[in-house]
Amino acid sequence: MCIFEESDDYMIGKAQKHITCATCKARKDSLFCTFKDDDLDNLDQVKSCNFIKKGQSLFLEGGIPRGVYCINEGKIKIFTRGEEGKEQIIHLAKQGEVVGFRAMFSGDPYVVSAETLEESSVCFIAKNDFLDLIDTNTILRDGILKELSTELAERASFVTNMSQKSVRERLASILLILNNIYADEYINLSREDLANFVGTATETLIRLLKDFKDDRVIKTHVRKIEILDTNLLESIAGL
Amino acid sequence: MCIFEESDDYMIGKAQKHITCATCKARKDSLFCTFKDDDLDNLDQVKSCNFIKKGQSLFLEGGIPRGVYCINEGKIKIFTRGEEGKEQIIHLAKQGEVVGFRAMFSGDPYVVSAETLEESSVCFIAKNDFLDLIDTNTILRDGILKELSTELAERASFVTNMSQKSVRERLASILLILNNIYADEYINLSREDLANFVGTATETLIRLLKDFKDDRVIKTHVRKIEILDTNLLESIAGL
DNA sequence: TCAAAAATATGACCTTAGTCATACTACAAA
DNA sequence: TTTGTAGTATGACTAAGGTCATATTTTTGA
């Protein structure tokens, strides 16, 4: 299931052509954007690069954290499962994001799972190497603190939206978020994943998408979703 | 409204008899539990002690963070407001907890508000002093990272509970949490606050409390709530 | 290219929980 | 004590959205 748990040496097997941090186009948006030549050389030494198929897990809820994953290319969903096993997507990570670093500090197993939504290229940095980086690089450390704080703030408003907004409003909000994540391409998520992000039943989500289509807010290209009117979406979301 | 914003010098006015960190009984449960004599002396120098009436704000959503608040005695609700102004309580902090430190790192205004639920004794540490402590004390720094990580994990499951559990299940979960926070005393929250924690309407909450009373799960002493059967609550919560 | 499986879509129905109106109770102030 | 006010409680009604059944379309793989 989880490719990084296939063997004791979790870096074996899927390693692909090495991506050099110094020239990595995703790095400018990442926690490592301030790294200088020396830091980059060091990072290059300790990391491994992996090419991961769609639908593979990077790590699973309950698993033991071994390191962090830096996304070079592709999209990763971060989710928990409720009692009945239903997924709740908490976050959708794209290139440049580092996922799984929260678990480096808590000392506990993962409380979320991470799975690729499309073919992805992901670099792995082992826990000790990552913690060493933080000890020796105060800018990185401050970046981590800031990132954790920002996510905590986002999650507070996520809770509030979940408890106070209607499914229709939440769908509008999520579509706006996805529109940014998918930047210049159409949103490409299954109806089920989208429902699990909004926190609703798949049937309800499909019905609402139809309403949005009728109202010319979105257009669908089979499974892909094109956003036609962000202003209207914002007003539906109550922003 | 917010006592710390009454004047430019936010430490003036409400300062009360100084609580010595070295003898503070709440400290053993706090981020500062590992502090040695020197650290404690330093902390004593930079902090101010305040006695705060029930229903006062420590800080408000949208306000500029000035420092952190260490709870010596009392309980503080941390909440956001949705579009219609309805509160969603995110966390309920008790003695020993440090509130507001997330905002020290994000560089943004507060995204939550903090308000006392009862008469409280709270120490204030200004932002720069707090950041200095973190720079010079790696144990504190690691404690902060761990605390942020743990809260982030808790909040992920909060989101999932909100989206997948019924109000009845959520109420049971929240009552169990409150039972720990209120330890050896009865839960003492208004029906409205409780509803805002569970994320429901006050009327719905009252109806469910009645069901729980009928089922001998809880007993009410006017507004206070006594938990009679934690096992039953756990099974209702779906744990 | 075709069959099977998976994903998407739609209808019918019903439960949960929100809203509004109103009544009751506890507590604080005069 | 009385009275006002805020908090608590209950009833009636309604709408949002979940579930289950089934149909249709798209994708996958032999």
Side-chain angles (χ1 to χ4, degrees):
Chain A
M1 189 87 203
C2 178
I3 66 154
F4 290 98
E5 291 180 355
E6 279 175 355
S7 71
D8 277 348
D9 187 345
Y10 40 83
M11 281 176 284
I12 279 182
K14 303 274 175 178
Q16 300 279 327
K17 63 178 191 298
H18 193 84
I19 296 154
T20 308
C21 294
T23 58
C24 172
K25 67 226 160 293
R27 190 176 57 82
K28 67 174 201 304
D29 304 314
S30 83
L31 280 172
F32 308 115
C33 62
T34 59
F35 271 35
K36 300 281 174 262
D37 290 349
D38 284 358
D39 298 321
L40 289 175
D41 286 345
N42 182 26
L43 193 53
D44 254 333
Q45 296 292 321
V46 301
K47 81 153 200 277
S48 65
C49 302
N50 303 274
F51 208 63
I52 305 175
K53 287 193 303 237
K54 176 178 175 175
Q56 296 269 2
S57 329
L58 294 185
F59 52 81
L60 295 169
E61 198 170 340
I64 305 299
R66 292 205 172 100
V68 301
Y69 305 86
C70 187
I71 309 176
N72 172 63
E73 188 68 55
K75 302 206 170 30
I76 314 273
K77 66 173 171 181
I78 311 292
F79 61 95
T80 56
R81 284 184 193 280
E83 310 303 325
E84 324 297 317
K86 186 177 161 65
E87 288 181 13
Q88 173 63 50
I89 297 182
I90 301 293
H91 179 71
L92 214 146
K94 62 174 194 295
Q95 69 279 356
E97 286 191 61
V98 179
V99 304
F101 66 83
R102 187 211 65 79
M104 297 299 99
F105 311 116
S106 73
D108 299 316
Y110 288 115
V111 299
V112 295
S113 304
E115 191 179 306
T116 51
L117 287 167
E118 50 192 62
E119 224 172 32
S120 301
S121 154
V122 175
C123 299
F124 175 82
I125 304 161
K127 181 168 179 171
N128 287 339
D129 294 324
F130 183 70
L131 293 177
D132 284 349
L133 283 174
I134 288 177
D135 274 335
T136 55
N137 190 320
T138 61
I139 296 177
L140 176 61
R141 190 199 74 191
D142 290 347
I144 295 276
L145 280 169
K146 178 163 182 163
E147 181 62 26
L148 283 169
S149 302
T150 303
E151 285 187 29
L152 205 53
E154 282 171 6
R155 223 158 276 185
S157 91
F158 201 167
V159 170
T160 308
N161 284 344
M162 276 297 176
S163 86
Q164 298 187 4
K165 288 193 168 182
S166 67
V167 176
R168 184 183 166 82
E169 290 170 316
R170 269 145 51 198
L171 173 57
S173 306
I174 297 281
L175 284 176
L176 286 166
I177 291 170
L178 291 173
N179 199 35
N180 288 326
I181 294 175
Y182 283 88
D184 48 3
E185 47 182 340
Y186 295 151
I187 294 167
N188 189 7
L189 268 186
S190 72
R191 299 293 181 259
E192 190 178 0
D193 278 336
L194 190 47
N196 290 342
F197 203 172
V198 174
T200 188
T202 308
E203 296 93 324
T204 303
L205 177 111
I206 288 170
R207 281 180 245 267
L208 285 170
L209 280 185
K210 196 191 176 200
D211 290 349
F212 284 4
K213 276 189 274 187
D214 292 347
D215 297 346
R216 311 278 170 196
V217 182
I218 62 169
K219 190 175 174 187
T220 56
H221 304 266
V222 193
R223 74 149 16 187
K224 295 181 183 177
I225 298 169
E226 177 183 5
I227 305 295
L228 297 176
D229 191 337
T230 52
N231 291 332
L232 202 43
L233 271 182
E234 278 166 13
S235 80
I236 293 170
L239 299 178
Chain B
M1 191 90 200
C2 178
I3 67 155
F4 291 97
E5 290 182 354
E6 279 175 352
S7 70
D8 277 346
D9 186 345
Y10 39 85
M11 281 175 283
I12 281 180
K14 303 275 173 175
Q16 300 280 324
K17 66 178 186 302
H18 193 83
I19 296 153
T20 308
C21 293
T23 59
C24 171
K25 67 226 160 293
R27 190 176 56 82
K28 69 174 200 303
D29 304 314
S30 83
L31 279 173
F32 307 114
C33 61
T34 60
F35 270 36
K36 300 280 173 266
D37 290 351
D38 283 359
D39 298 322
L40 289 175
D41 286 347
N42 182 25
L43 192 53
D44 255 334
Q45 296 290 321
V46 300
K47 78 156 203 275
S48 64
C49 303
N50 303 276
F51 208 63
I52 306 173
K53 286 192 305 236
K54 176 178 173 172
Q56 296 269 3
S57 316
L58 295 185
F59 53 81
L60 294 170
E61 199 170 336
I64 305 299
R66 291 205 173 102
V68 301
Y69 306 86
C70 186
I71 309 176
N72 173 63
E73 189 68 56
K75 301 203 170 32
I76 315 273
K77 67 173 172 182
I78 312 293
F79 61 95
T80 55
R81 283 184 193 280
E83 309 303 324
E84 325 296 317
K86 185 175 162 65
E87 289 182 12
Q88 173 63 50
I89 297 182
I90 301 293
H91 180 70
L92 214 146
K94 62 174 193 297
Q95 69 280 354
E97 286 190 60
V98 179
V99 305
F101 64 83
R102 188 211 65 80
M104 297 299 99
F105 310 116
S106 74
D108 300 315
Y110 288 115
V111 298
V112 294
S113 303
E115 191 178 306
T116 51
L117 287 167
E118 48 192 65
E119 222 173 35
S120 301
S121 156
V122 176
C123 298
F124 175 82
I125 305 161
K127 180 168 180 170
N128 286 340
D129 294 323
F130 183 71
L131 293 178
D132 284 349
L133 283 174
I134 288 177
D135 274 335
T136 55
N137 190 320
T138 61
I139 296 177
L140 176 62
R141 190 200 74 190
D142 290 347
I144 295 276
L145 281 170
K146 179 166 181 160
E147 182 62 26
L148 283 169
S149 301
T150 303
E151 284 187 30
L152 204 52
E154 281 171 7
R155 222 157 276 185
S157 90
F158 201 167
V159 169
T160 308
N161 284 345
M162 276 298 178
S163 85
Q164 298 187 3
K165 288 194 169 181
S166 67
V167 175
R168 183 183 167 82
E169 291 170 315
R170 267 145 51 197
L171 173 57
S173 305
I174 297 280
L175 284 176
L176 286 166
I177 292 170
L178 291 172
N179 198 35
N180 288 325
I181 295 175
Y182 282 88
D184 48 2
E185 48 182 339
Y186 296 151
I187 294 168
N188 188 7
L189 269 184
S190 73
R191 299 293 181 259
E192 191 177 358
D193 278 336
L194 191 46
N196 290 341
F197 204 171
V198 175
T200 188
T202 308
E203 296 93 323
T204 302
L205 177 111
I206 288 170
R207 279 181 245 267
L208 285 170
L209 279 185
K210 198 192 174 198
D211 290 350
F212 284 4
K213 276 190 274 188
D214 292 346
D215 297 345
R216 311 279 169 197
V217 182
I218 63 169
K219 191 175 172 185
T220 57
H221 304 267
V222 193
R223 73 149 16 189
K224 296 181 185 179
I225 298 170
E226 178 185 3
I227 305 295
L228 297 177
D229 191 338
T230 53
N231 291 331
L232 203 44
L233 271 181
E234 280 166 12
S235 79
I236 294 170
L239 300 179

